[in-house]
Amino acid sequence: MEQAALIIITVILALGIFSQWLAWRIQWPSIVIMSIAGLLIGPVFGLINPKEALGELYSPMISLAVAIILFEGSSSLDIREIKGISKSVFRIVTGGAFLAWVGGSLAAHFIAGLNLEISFIIGGLFVVTGPTVIIPLLRQAKLKPRTAAVLKWEGIIVDPAGPLLALFAYQVIKVMTNENIHDHHLWTFFIGALISALLGYVIGFAVSIMVGKGLIPEYLKSPIILSFVLICFTVGEVVMHETGMLAVTVMGLTLGRTKKYVSSIGSISHFVENISVLLTSTIFILLTSSLTREILTDVFKLPIIGFVLVMLFLVRPLSIWISTISTELTIAEKLLIGWIAPRGIVALTVSGYFASILLEDGYEEAGILIALTFALVIITVCAHGFTIGPIAKRLGLASTESPGILIVGASSFSVALADQIKQMGIPVIIIDSSGDRLCSAEMKGIRTHKGEILAEHTQYDIDLTQYETLLAMTGDAAYNALVCQSHIPEFGYQNTFALPVKPNNQLNHEELPIALKAHLLFGEDSPFTELNRKINIGYYLKSININKKDKIQKDMLPEGVTPLFIKKKNDILTFVTMKKGFAIDEGDQLVVLTKDKEKTV
């Protein structure tokens, strides 16, 4: 039995990460790939059954994973994200959630055929969207910051509210239908929710104080905070079932608010984000592989399909449009937000809990709750996952341009490079803290931003969504390295490059590791000072069309010609680094720095 559990856990972990990778490779929504993988190994082929293998550990494992995911999402929230749209966000997470609750409950009653008691319980649960499904979709679609912020905040704030609404409806029904239970039972619910919220705030505030005063060593910060998250969730669940999610969300919000005062807390977020990605992959496959074939069969029943369609095309759009009347949102933003509302892990896990307790209370109709929830989850995940990108582009709410280049540091060479990239139709921006250094770029019509790239507020002052490659090209080597290191989580290691500053005779190139050479720009004889000197004495950038496929060594080029980057046929730029060779294909364009107009490759 132990060996079987070990094999199942390993298979699910590996399959979850492979699903994420495959989704990235084929540009599919990762949630869709994970759902398919879980269904194939579970109810379709019957290869594994996690519930049987893990036994009593199955539900606690999922609950703790959800707690970490919720904490990661809430701790990443920053009030500056909703600057100018705070009214809309507030309306959506309050009035919009209430309207969705009422609309979902009526749909469950009149379309799915559930009685009113069960309908209002499940309707409360279905207001959730959640970070487990929303954040992967936002990452894929590259929405503009305003729209992405609304969906992100709604998903994280409403995620714990859904189970609480369902629990509140259940408590009300117990009071109304059982003469032995009195009104003070409802007060117990409110007190329990309040205690859990206070618990999250106290733990979050205490952790921020401990970190701020240096009471936790650097190497223990992430493990200790993760431990506090689990403690917070568990104590919240002990106080009252389904309030642990509220506790960790409040804890995350509290810690997230203190990030601007205690900078070291921000450095922990990357660790928690990585854990969250792993858990999201694992838990989604764990849940879908635990479903039975009977549940899959029930999913295709007409009342369930009808309920899902009403939720998609009537309840969600109406709740958004009504709640955002006279707010800052545009019609296009309302259209997209009114369409996007995928359900995920929280809906699946909590519906299982309510299905079991309602069946124990004698509500036989509750037997279809899991099938109803799974139908809503899988259909919304697929429908929204495949359409969010095209619809956002059609509405002008996502980047439609080629992946752009972000250059840090304005100099003679970086301005010339940006101008060449711009002329080739690739978006480019130069960021520098000096307005004077940016003047020449502005005169050439290059997009610029005066500011400090390392300042946290920069990401809220300017939309950097469309830029996928970062070039740190200042005259300070340490600063270039710091910029690259700070932005690797956003751009990726393979898309982050630095320009060496020291001249050739001060760099021991033989001792540089190959991995580092792959991220140092251009040739060994082309540091910052030399490239700028050449531009200042009359060198210029030249584009050369390639008519054959080849692998070129730098020493094969004519003397005085420095290769800079290759523009591929799909408008992707590949930058030349200190590695000896670079590959070119027929139809590519090679851009070089040269002085002699007659020289060619």
Side-chain angles (χ1 to χ4, degrees):
M1 182 65 74
E2 291 180 4
Q3 195 174 44
L6 177 63
I7 292 172
I8 286 176
I9 292 173
T10 303
V11 167
I12 289 176
L13 281 169
L15 197 56
I17 297 304
F18 174 76
S19 299
Q20 291 271 13
W21 174 83
L22 181 61
W24 169 74
R25 288 293 298 175
I26 65 176
Q27 293 299 295
W28 272 32
S30 58
I31 299 296
V32 174
I33 301 294
M34 289 185 284
S35 300
I36 294 172
L39 291 175
L40 289 176
I41 65 173
V44 174
F45 294 114
L47 300 178
I48 63 173
N49 189 329
K51 272 189 178 180
E52 290 183 2
L54 300 178
E56 294 181 355
L57 292 177
Y58 175 80
S59 294
M61 282 177 60
I62 292 177
S63 298
L64 291 174
V66 170
I68 295 171
I69 294 167
L70 275 176
F71 170 78
E72 187 274 327
S74 58
S75 64
S76 68
L77 293 178
D78 193 303
I79 196 67
R80 289 170 290 186
E81 290 179 329
I82 56 172
K83 182 180 179 181
I85 51 170
S86 56
K87 183 178 180 181
S88 305
V89 172
F90 178 76
R91 292 266 200 93
I92 288 172
V93 301
T94 53
F98 177 76
L99 290 171
W101 180 20
V102 174
S105 301
L106 294 177
H109 177 61
F110 291 106
I111 307 299
L114 298 174
N115 64 38
L116 276 175
E117 292 91 340
I118 297 178
S119 296
F120 272 93
I121 293 173
I122 204 68
L125 175 60
F126 286 161
V127 305
V128 303
T129 53
T132 59
V133 283
I134 280 293
I135 292 177
L137 293 187
L138 297 181
R139 191 182 296 124
Q140 168 213 353
K142 297 183 181 178
L143 296 184
K144 291 185 177 179
R146 270 173 55 114
T147 315
V150 173
L151 289 169
K152 177 183 174 183
W153 274 72
E154 180 199 13
I156 292 169
I157 298 299
V158 175
D159 218 33
L164 286 177
L165 286 175
L167 191 61
F168 172 70
Y170 177 68
Q171 301 294 346
V172 171
I173 290 168
K174 288 184 72 173
V175 170
M176 293 176 63
T177 58
N178 194 328
E179 295 180 356
N180 297 323
I181 299 178
H182 303 289
D183 292 347
H184 67 79
H185 200 73
L186 290 179
W187 285 108
T188 304
F189 164 79
F190 288 115
I191 293 171
L194 180 61
I195 291 173
S196 293
L198 286 174
L199 173 72
Y201 176 77
V202 169
I203 292 179
F205 186 74
V207 169
S208 66
I209 294 295
M210 292 168 66
V211 173
K213 291 189 174 182
L215 300 178
I216 303 175
E218 192 65 35
Y219 72 96
L220 282 179
K221 280 180 184 176
S222 296
I224 286 179
I225 288 181
L226 197 60
S227 299
F228 272 113
V229 171
L230 300 180
I231 291 170
C232 181
F233 176 79
T234 303
V235 175
E237 287 292 291
V238 170
V239 170
M240 186 172 67
H241 195 61
E242 301 302 340
T243 61
M245 287 186 283
L246 174 64
V248 294
T249 301
V250 173
M251 178 185 172
L253 289 170
T254 305
L255 272 177
R257 190 173 183 276
T258 60
K259 277 194 294 189
K260 56 185 176 182
Y261 305 112
V262 185
S263 59
S264 60
I265 289 178
S267 63
I268 299 166
S269 60
H270 296 311
F271 168 79
V272 181
E273 183 181 1
N274 291 335
I275 294 293
S276 179
V277 170
L278 177 65
L279 292 176
T280 300
S281 310
T282 305
I283 299 307
F284 219 90
I285 291 181
L286 198 65
L287 286 169
T288 51
S289 62
S290 300
L291 298 172
T292 63
R293 292 180 181 177
E294 290 74 18
I295 291 176
L296 288 185
T297 303
D298 290 341
V299 164
F300 297 100
K301 290 181 177 178
L302 191 59
I304 292 180
I305 297 296
F307 167 77
V308 174
L309 293 177
V310 169
M311 292 291 287
L312 279 172
F313 296 103
L314 188 61
V315 174
R316 172 66 177 183
L318 279 178
S319 65
I320 294 298
W321 278 85
I322 294 174
S323 64
T324 55
I325 292 174
S326 300
T327 61
E328 314 92 337
L329 295 183
T330 64
I331 293 177
E333 288 170 331
K334 290 181 182 181
L335 282 171
L336 184 64
I337 295 168
W339 168 242
I340 302 300
R343 276 66 169 187
I345 291 174
V346 171
L348 278 174
T349 54
V350 179
S351 67
Y353 164 74
F354 279 108
S356 62
I357 63 172
L358 286 171
L359 285 171
E360 289 177 4
D361 290 345
Y363 293 96
E364 294 183 2
E365 295 174 344
I368 71 164
L369 287 188
I370 296 178
L372 192 72
T373 306
F374 178 71
L376 185 63
V377 169
I378 197 67
I379 293 175
T380 55
V381 161
C382 291
H384 298 150
F386 283 113
T387 61
I388 183 171
I391 291 177
K393 289 180 180 178
R394 188 71 180 267
L395 294 173
L397 298 176
S399 175
T400 57
E401 299 183 40
S402 303
I405 310 297
L406 168 62
I407 298 176
V408 180
S411 64
S412 301
F413 173 73
S414 65
V415 171
L417 180 67
D419 187 43
Q420 178 67 34
I421 293 172
K422 173 176 169 287
Q423 290 179 30
M424 300 179 85
I426 306 296
V428 62
I429 185 174
I430 299 179
I431 295 182
D432 198 295
S433 57
S434 170
D436 293 337
R437 288 196 293 265
L438 290 171
C439 285
S440 60
E442 292 169 350
M443 291 175 63
K444 292 179 179 291
I446 300 168
R447 188 183 181 196
T448 63
H449 175 73
K450 180 186 175 184
E452 174 52 66
I453 186 65
L454 293 174
E456 188 180 0
H457 62 77
T458 299
Q459 63 178 307
Y460 306 112
D461 294 339
I462 186 170
D463 180 13
L464 300 177
T465 306
Q466 70 185 107
Y467 302 100
E468 292 190 353
T469 301
L470 182 144
L471 310 180
M473 302 177 66
T474 73
D476 186 334
Y479 181 80
N480 289 345
L482 182 59
V483 167
C484 290
Q485 189 64 34
S486 301
H487 288 82
I488 282 175
E490 289 79 25
F491 289 87
Y493 188 70
Q494 72 279 6
N495 295 324
T496 310
F497 303 92
L499 180 64
V501 174
K502 291 183 179 180
N504 187 43
N505 58 6
Q506 296 182 30
L507 276 174
N508 190 345
H509 296 285
E510 297 299 325
E511 294 184 1
L512 288 176
I514 294 176
L516 180 57
K517 284 186 177 182
H519 296 274
L520 292 176
L521 288 168
F522 316 131
E524 297 178 359
D525 58 347
S526 305
F528 174 85
T529 50
E530 180 64 13
L531 291 171
N532 281 283
R533 184 190 70 81
K534 287 182 176 181
I535 290 292
N536 292 335
I537 65 173
Y539 279 67
Y540 70 103
L541 276 69
K542 179 180 180 180
S543 175
I544 303 167
N545 293 322
I546 303 299
N547 298 318
K548 62 179 181 177
K549 184 174 182 178
D550 202 356
K551 183 169 179 70
I552 294 180
Q553 302 292 330
K554 295 190 180 73
D555 54 14
M556 296 168 56
L557 298 173
E559 186 178 353
V561 175
T562 303
L564 302 177
F565 66 86
I566 302 162
K567 182 188 178 186
K568 298 290 184 180
K569 286 179 286 188
N570 57 1
D571 287 341
I572 299 296
L573 299 189
T574 301
F575 286 89
V576 177
T577 63
M578 282 193 179
K579 291 196 302 184
K580 289 184 178 181
F582 53 91
I584 54 177
D585 298 316
E586 185 179 351
D588 291 347
Q589 289 178 280
L590 174 64
V591 174
V592 300
L593 178 66
T594 182
K595 185 176 183 180
D596 191 342
K597 294 187 178 182
E598 301 302 322
K599 285 185 178 179
T600 58
V601 178

